[in-house]
Amino acid sequence: MAATFRRRLQRGAASTAVAALVLAALTASQAPGATGAAAAKRRPAPPPADVPIDGGSAYYTDLPPLKSPVPPHGSPHTGKGPATGRGPAEAGLPATVLAAYRKAATAIDASDPGCRLPWQLLAGIGKVESGQARGGAVDAEGTTLRPILGPQLNGHGFARITDTDAGRYDGDLTHDRAVGPMQFIPSTWSDGGPDGTGWGADGNGDGKKDPHNVFDAALAAGHYLCAGGRDLTVQNDLDRAILGYNHSEEYLRTVLSWYAFYRNGTHEVPDGKGVLPVHRDAGRSDGDSGGRSEGRPHHGRGPGAKPGKSPRPGGSDKPGKPGKGQQRPDGNRPTPGGSEPPTQKPTPNPEPAHPTTLVRVGDKDLSTTAGTEFATPPQVRAQDAGGKAVAGVPVRFTLPPATDARFPGDATTVTVTTDKDGLATAPTLRAGDRTGDFRIRVSTVRHTTPAVEVGATVKAKPAPKADKLARTSDKELTATAGKAFAEDAVEIKATYQGKSAAGVAVTATMITNDPKQPVENDKGPYFKDPGATGDAEDKPVRTLTGLTTDANGLLKLPKIYTDAHSGTFLLRLTTADGAVLTVKLKVAAPAGA
């Protein structure tokens, strides 16, 4: 059956019927989807566009080998569980790229379960668009080691799109190019999505939307495939999603064939060890196309292509006989000319053993007071199934929005790599002014290891204390009735155990001259409410709260006014700790009264 299906693809015959057969087989084992009308209510339809996601660029036409991967023993692979199994080299997916596909599908399943996006569909598109990011040539964060650029979209064999990003993503100031592992054109990444904000996404939680990062690109591709209320278990929805990526029947058939291949089972390989497609770009010298063929049209869009007829993948017209670049039945691919495929160069940082758990170090939650550093930094340990430490694992520490605590550089996320003991230690964490509890999320960057949380508490600073209040001047305080005392007539200093007490709250009250039980006076000197307006501005206020000493423990009281009463009056200053100072205010009667 698989061989017959492959020959049909190579001949390019009955494309619609073949796609229907593939889709029927793929959806048979899945739960029934929602109707199109119901699904359409979930999300807005994608904006109309004449240009597909990848700009109609060229793509890899290689097809999967005839030999399928072998699913795990015991139960057929449904596509919902881990990607395991064994088989030909083409079934191997680079670790970081595979993690990106799984993470994107998991995120979308949580936010839009009705879409039923399988990660294998992302893998099929990633294979056709960039050869799985050039066989997994990405760094620890998932960013490609070199830019993957499609051909210049100058209208010669492809769509014509003049520069829309000032070269920000593709380095081209005249025309756009498809960029990154999932080959988004800059205009679509930036402003082609719903609400005009673009399909760009932040898949790895670093606060950036980078089309050259496989986590970001995979999540963005997943959002696009699910847009418009699509249910990808429904044949028409799956068709429309793939054709919206690149509107070509051959592209549809090629993606579906890889989708079916990956659903039969895959296995993980280290980054940089993925199999590159054979059809390399012979016409490109910069090496940044990712192998996408610019000079050879794949779907009737380039010079010399006959309308309505697609070139046959594999380079042979006869089914069953491997031609130039076609897969042999054993799954291997000879290069044009019969030589063996070139050896892949590994990434500079080899893939470490996969941790199965992140474990918190220390039983107690972190704690500090507002504005100070946590004495102990957040720390976790990565270990495998046997409990052994795993070194070289990138681990990300993420602070929640609910706190204003920050890592150095005012950062809310930091990524560190586990040491030889499997320990990942975050840099010093400093608390802000906001008090309360929060949780620090700790996760691995490349793997699907469950995240752990480290609790932290920011306590309020202890209230400053003062055991003594004193005037800074011994000058007698006098005024004439109906007039005001001099500006800043009363200045005091607060101390605690002989040292200046900063930030001490002081209450000022005009009191009666009753030695047994003084109370707030209703005549004589008074303050004005600094926050009052209109008629209330001149209303006497004889108790002021919220006064605070400065960094040197000093406090100058607001201006003091007097009414028509004369005599000696008392101003009492107090603190929460019981420090008390009584100041005499003498008010003289007006001359001639």
Side-chain angles (χ1 to χ4, degrees):
M1 174 65 180
T4 303
F5 171 57
R6 175 173 168 73
R7 285 195 293 271
R8 287 179 180 171
L9 285 179
Q10 290 172 329
R11 290 173 182 169
S15 61
T16 303
V18 171
L21 287 173
V22 175
L23 291 167
L26 294 178
T27 58
S29 62
Q30 301 186 12
T35 64
K41 295 179 181 178
R42 294 194 307 271
R43 300 176 299 276
D50 297 330
V51 180
I53 286 291
D54 68 2
S57 297
Y59 55 86
Y60 286 124
T61 59
D62 303 66
L63 294 173
L66 300 179
K67 182 180 178 182
S68 295
V70 180
H73 182 69
S75 62
H77 185 59
T78 64
K80 297 182 179 179
T84 56
R86 57 192 183 280
E90 285 82 352
L93 292 174
T96 299
V97 177
L98 174 58
Y101 295 151
R102 286 175 169 171
K103 188 171 184 178
T106 300
I108 291 175
D109 184 59
S111 63
D112 185 9
C115 176
R116 296 178 175 84
L117 171 69
W119 67 259
Q120 291 90 343
L121 178 58
L122 294 173
I125 291 176
K127 177 70 174 182
V128 170
E129 292 290 344
S130 69
Q132 310 300 13
R134 287 204 199 95
V138 295
D139 63 17
E141 300 290 330
T143 302
T144 57
L145 299 180
R146 290 184 296 123
I148 300 177
L149 304 178
Q152 189 181 66
L153 298 174
N154 53 17
H156 300 302
F158 309 102
R160 177 179 173 80
I161 306 177
T162 55
D163 179 53
T164 63
D165 66 333
R168 175 185 177 187
Y169 297 121
D170 57 11
D172 194 324
L173 296 176
T174 60
H175 294 83
D176 275 350
R177 298 169 181 257
V179 296
M182 302 303 278
Q183 291 289 279
F184 277 81
I185 53 175
S187 58
T188 304
W189 183 267
S190 299
D191 58 14
D195 23 343
T197 57
W199 293 105
D202 178 13
N204 61 355
D206 63 357
K208 298 182 292 186
K209 298 178 182 180
D210 183 4
H212 297 285
N213 181 279
V214 69
F215 287 95
D216 294 357
L219 182 59
H223 282 313
Y224 173 77
L225 294 169
C226 289
R230 293 180 185 132
D231 177 350
L232 297 181
T233 63
V234 176
Q235 175 179 333
N236 288 339
D237 283 0
L238 182 59
D239 257 346
R240 286 189 298 113
I242 297 173
L243 289 172
Y245 219 102
N246 189 312
H247 197 74
S248 159
E249 289 292 332
E250 182 189 350
Y251 181 89
L252 172 65
R253 295 194 303 271
T254 307
V255 169
L256 287 175
S257 63
W258 281 106
Y259 174 32
F261 178 77
Y262 289 137
R263 280 178 56 81
N264 282 331
T266 63
H267 58 273
E268 188 177 291
V269 297
D271 290 342
K273 293 292 186 178
V275 174
L276 288 177
V278 170
H279 295 146
R280 309 299 294 275
D281 182 2
R284 183 177 294 277
S285 59
D286 62 5
D288 284 345
S289 70
R292 291 166 64 85
S293 301
E294 178 177 356
R296 182 176 79 288
H298 293 309
H299 42 77
R301 294 174 186 264
K306 295 181 180 180
K309 186 173 183 179
S310 300
R312 290 181 174 85
S316 174
D317 291 340
K318 296 180 181 180
K321 293 184 179 180
K324 274 188 176 184
Q326 185 181 352
Q327 301 98 331
R328 296 195 296 257
D330 62 1
N332 294 319
R333 299 171 178 268
T335 58
S339 61
E340 290 302 314
T343 303
Q344 300 298 308
K345 294 181 180 181
T347 55
N349 298 317
E351 178 78 3
H354 292 181
T356 57
T357 1
L358 289 178
V359 181
R360 279 188 54 179
V361 175
D363 297 329
K364 295 182 179 179
D365 287 349
L366 310 180
S367 180
T368 192
T369 56
T372 63
E373 294 180 350
F374 286 87
T376 304
Q379 189 179 55
V380 297
R381 182 175 186 265
Q383 61 187 38
D384 61 18
K388 294 183 179 178
V390 182
V393 178
V395 175
R396 176 175 291 115
F397 295 81
T398 304
L399 299 174
T403 181
D404 58 356
R406 292 293 183 266
F407 293 113
D410 203 33
T412 57
T413 63
V414 292
T415 300
V416 297
T417 303
T418 56
D419 60 18
K420 61 182 179 64
D421 298 317
L423 295 176
T425 306
T428 302
L429 179 62
R430 185 177 185 83
D433 295 328
R434 196 176 303 171
T435 59
D437 299 332
F438 63 93
R439 312 291 291 177
I440 305 166
R441 188 175 187 274
V442 190
S443 60
T444 57
V445 174
R446 299 195 245 185
H447 312 295
T448 54
T449 305
V452 298
E453 291 186 339
V454 177
T457 300
V458 177
K459 300 176 182 178
K461 291 180 180 179
K465 294 182 179 181
D467 54 14
K468 184 178 181 181
L469 294 176
R471 285 186 61 197
T472 58
S473 170
D474 57 2
K475 184 179 179 180
E476 188 177 61
L477 299 171
T478 62
T480 302
K483 304 292 184 179
F485 285 84
E487 292 279 353
D488 304 327
V490 181
E491 182 183 61
I492 63 170
K493 182 169 185 177
T495 56
Y496 182 70
Q497 295 180 355
K499 295 181 180 180
S500 299
V504 175
V506 177
T507 299
T509 306
M510 301 294 179
I511 60 171
T512 58
N513 193 6
D514 183 346
K516 293 183 179 180
Q517 191 174 5
V519 294
E520 182 182 274
N521 210 336
D522 59 356
K523 57 181 179 290
Y526 64 91
F527 302 103
K528 289 184 180 181
D529 185 352
T533 58
D535 294 339
E537 272 189 281
D538 294 326
K539 183 179 180 181
V541 174
R542 289 189 168 87
T543 298
L544 279 184
T545 58
L547 303 172
T548 307
T549 59
D550 64 15
N552 298 313
L554 298 174
L555 171 63
K556 290 182 179 180
L557 266 63
K559 191 172 183 178
I560 301 175
Y561 301 86
T562 67
D563 57 16
H565 296 86
S566 59
T568 300
F569 299 90
L570 300 180
L571 167 63
R572 174 166 292 180
L573 303 165
T574 60
T575 69
D577 300 306
V580 179
L581 172 66
T582 302
V583 178
K584 288 184 178 182
L585 302 174
K586 292 184 178 181
V587 180

